[in-house]
Amino acid sequence: MPHTIRERKPLLTRVRRIKGQLAALEVALKEGSDCSAVLQQIAAVRGAVSGLMNHVMEGHIRDHLLSPERTEAERAHDLEPLLAALRSYMR
Amino acid sequence: MPHTIRERKPLLTRVRRIKGQLAALEVALKEGSDCSAVLQQIAAVRGAVSGLMNHVMEGHIRDHLLSPERTEAERAHDLEPLLAALRSYMR
Amino acid sequence: MPHTIRERKPLLTRVRRIKGQLAALEVALKEGSDCSAVLQQIAAVRGAVSGLMNHVMEGHIRDHLLSPERTEAERAHDLEPLLAALRSYMR
Amino acid sequence: MPHTIRERKPLLTRVRRIKGQLAALEVALKEGSDCSAVLQQIAAVRGAVSGLMNHVMEGHIRDHLLSPERTEAERAHDLEPLLAALRSYMR
């Protein structure tokens, strides 16, 4: 079973938490909140998104690259999206 | 007028776009989408959040630190949230 | 006195420490050290470079943007390199 | 043959280029160069370090995690340093 299905519940919890943070940010902007609070809220969203990416990347590596059930061709195929995501962090 | 109020419309557009990306990610997880697509979607959310942070940071610097209407004390006070947000990027 | 001159000593100390880390990394690569150690050393260099950037950015903001001795035109001129450095972090 | 040995030459070229950038930064600080130039140089060093990390990470994944010559236990052992390096990027 792919990890994004096995881990669906904790992953959805993370995504919904980030949606909640963004909803709060939307209210803050509508209400003209102090800019300092807006900066802090965006930094918190960024941290939560990094946590989500880290969670999915680790699952991808364990399930798609390490698992003995995967053929060499399958592993090579699954490597590319990981490298693309890594590059987006290492610019 | 604070920049987060002057720029409310474009900032809300950015926030709503990110909310839309997260809603799509939520659907992808519910439907058990391929992990590669999930990685790509999270990387796109991350990029959009960085764009939002950059937009607010630049406005904060121009309005709160550069503006001649601000007293020295007000500028020093407004520096701290900027430095805190910067540090979250430079760990 | 510009902060990069006032802070020359601590900044040079940071730069030399990073040079030392790179020299150690060079030796590790020459001697064919274990890849895990190489990954750790590069992560440490990255952290040190972020610390250096944070130090210079904060000084730049305080001295060039906040200082009452600077004219509006000088501040606007000094904003651009800061925004360019910020954008390199927020891609 | 481990990738850090197979790729020794290009990796050493990258490390030496970064050392050169740091040596130039050291001169710039000694000579009291304009802060804008210092910011740009540090951003360039950061980009080069990211490129180096990306190069080693990809090699580590290909050689240590994907290679059929590695046992499951060896792959699990080699996963930890990769995850540690990833976490340093995803804070």
Side-chain angles (χ1 to χ4, degrees), chain B residues 12-27:
Chain B
L12 281 173
T13 302
R14 282 182 182 266
V15 170
R16 286 170 183 149
R17 195 178 302 137
I18 300 169
K19 278 176 77 180
Q21 290 173 305
L22 281 161
L25 181 55
E26 192 174 4
V27 168

Side-chain angles (χ1 to χ4, degrees), chain B residues 7-65:
Chain B
E7 300 263 300
R8 183 181 289 162
K9 226 174 146 217
L11 289 174
L12 281 173
T13 302
R14 282 182 182 266
V15 170
R16 286 170 183 149
R17 195 178 302 137
I18 300 169
K19 278 176 77 180
Q21 290 173 305
L22 281 161
L25 181 55
E26 192 174 4
V27 168
L29 288 169
K30 279 186 195 163
E31 292 176 352
S33 290
D34 178 57
C35 172
S36 311
V38 171
L39 278 172
Q40 250 173 349
Q41 286 178 273
I42 301 172
V45 170
R46 175 184 173 268
V49 172
S50 283
L52 175 64
M53 176 63 99
N54 201 29
H55 189 152
V56 174
M57 253 191 196
E58 185 166 337
H60 186 84
I61 294 169
R62 289 187 191 281
D63 273 35
H64 292 256
L65 304 188

